Amino acid sequence: MAKQVSRFTGLVMSRRDFRERDLLVKMLTASQGPLMFLVRGAKRPKAKLAATVLPFSHGSYLGVLHQRRLSLLTAANQVQQYQHITADLTANAYATYLFDLVDAAFYDGQPLGRWFNQVSSALSLMDQGMDPQIIVNVLELQLLSQFGVQPTWDRCVVCGRRDLPLNYSEENGGMLCANHFDRDPYRIRLDQRTTGYLQLLSTVDLTKVKAINVSDYIKQRLQKLIDTIYNNQVGLHLRSRTFIRQMDNWDSQLKLSGRKD
Ligand SMILES: [Zn+2]
């Protein structure tokens, strides 16, 4: 059977050793989503392909693409590595989690359509030093639809009002206005600014973003809500996300112990 080699733009999601001399590299492609590639001989000294499949690399690759078995990587050019993401512990943790999230949201071989550019823009923005939490929050909110969860953020799900304070109700799959708070005693209380950011982040196009500045208070509120939705409604528990929460805790403990001095 003839093997068809295609050229594609790829993002290296993860990699691991395979057999004595080979690597398995998971890449995100636009046309076929996440795919697992065999990179033959990549662990040999002087193997040219090895440098093109370092974590957080992106560029133009050549290979034989398969959905249900290993794809084969044969050549690469114009490959670059996201430098800040590679070097910065926090950005690195968020980018790793973002790839895990994307891997969970799409099956191998699934065309990504507009999502590819959203993910690739997210990585570029993080690499430019933009707040990785907010960038990842955008994709966490927007990818909910891929998991079959589509909360209504901009109005009350009962009456459609937008002018009253809104709280989030998991049970009702979206916002409740003050007139309908009694529909869910377990609703998640939100202040108006957090609600505004939820509406902004759930619709923003990352390919057009230049800057988003959010206060620490709002960031905490946003993350708490998003974590609750992923835990309860999506049922997705990724180790890379737990790691970020642990980092946050170390961070706040360091700040606290700093204050005592
Ligand atoms: Zn209402």
Side-chain angles (χ1 to χ4, degrees):
M1 201 173 71
K3 287 179 182 170
Q4 200 176 356
V5 175
S6 348
R7 180 175 292 283
F8 62 94
T9 303
L11 297 165
V12 175
M13 304 172 79
S14 64
R15 54 180 244 167
R16 60 188 159 93
D17 291 347
F18 184 63
R19 299 192 295 227
E20 208 173 323
R21 300 191 170 103
D22 307 333
L23 284 176
L24 284 180
V25 178
K26 188 104 191 216
M27 294 188 89
L28 193 67
T29 71
S31 64
Q32 300 199 43
L35 289 178
M36 187 65 88
F37 285 86
L38 173 65
V39 191
R40 279 203 189 113
K43 282 158 64 189
R44 285 201 187 104
K46 293 182 189 170
K48 278 185 195 160
L49 274 179
T52 71
V53 290
L54 293 169
F56 309 116
S57 296
H58 57 110
S60 175
Y61 295 87
L62 277 179
V64 185
L65 275 53
H66 296 294
Q67 290 184 19
R68 288 190 186 77
R69 54 199 173 96
L70 285 179
S71 301
L72 193 65
L73 196 71
T74 55
N77 61 40
Q78 293 173 325
V79 171
Q80 291 180 314
Q81 205 183 14
Y82 291 113
Q83 293 297 329
H84 174 67
I85 292 175
T86 307
D88 181 84
L89 184 66
T90 306
N92 194 307
Y94 274 98
T96 302
Y97 165 55
L98 177 61
F99 277 137
D100 285 350
L101 186 66
V102 168
D103 205 18
F106 301 96
Y107 59 83
D108 288 19
Q110 181 176 1
L112 289 193
R114 63 179 285 276
W115 290 110
F116 187 82
N117 285 337
Q118 296 298 315
V119 173
S120 143
S121 297
L123 292 164
S124 297
L125 291 168
M126 274 194 248
D127 203 49
Q128 289 158 31
M130 257 186 78
D131 189 330
Q133 185 202 309
I134 289 301
I135 302 293
V136 167
N137 285 162
V138 168
L139 279 164
E140 284 178 315
L141 285 167
Q142 298 189 6
L143 283 169
L144 281 174
S145 61
Q146 293 295 307
F147 296 106
V149 179
Q150 285 180 292
T152 302
W153 296 120
D154 61 343
R155 59 186 183 276
C156 174
V157 292
V158 179
C159 68
R161 277 185 81 155
R162 299 160 191 262
D163 56 326
L164 295 173
L166 295 168
N167 282 180
Y168 181 69
S169 164
E170 290 182 83
E171 196 188 318
N172 291 275
M175 297 298 211
L176 293 175
C177 77
N179 284 343
H180 291 108
F181 283 169
D182 57 354
R183 296 278 177 117
D184 184 0
Y186 304 107
R187 68 188 185 277
I188 298 171
R189 285 156 178 77
L190 297 168
D191 59 275
Q192 216 169 346
R193 294 197 57 204
T194 307
T195 305
Y197 275 107
L198 275 169
Q199 292 165 357
L200 172 73
L201 301 184
S202 61
T203 52
V204 73
D205 179 353
L206 282 178
T207 64
K208 294 179 180 145
V209 164
K210 298 279 185 288
I212 306 177
N213 292 311
V214 185
S215 71
D216 283 346
Y217 173 78
I218 304 273
K219 279 174 59 181
Q220 279 177 19
R221 305 289 301 167
L222 287 169
Q223 195 61 65
K224 203 168 169 224
L225 175 65
I226 293 170
D227 283 353
T228 304
I229 294 176
Y230 270 89
N231 286 334
N232 299 350
Q233 289 184 266
V234 178
L236 186 67
H237 306 274
L238 295 170
R239 250 193 298 175
S240 46
R241 190 185 71 176
T242 311
F243 177 69
I244 292 173
R245 295 298 158 266
Q246 286 167 347
M247 276 196 338
D248 292 346
N249 286 339
W250 300 331
D251 209 32
S252 47
Q253 279 168 17
L254 280 174
K255 278 180 195 158
L256 279 176
S257 62
R259 262 181 221 146
K260 281 177 201 156
D261 294 336

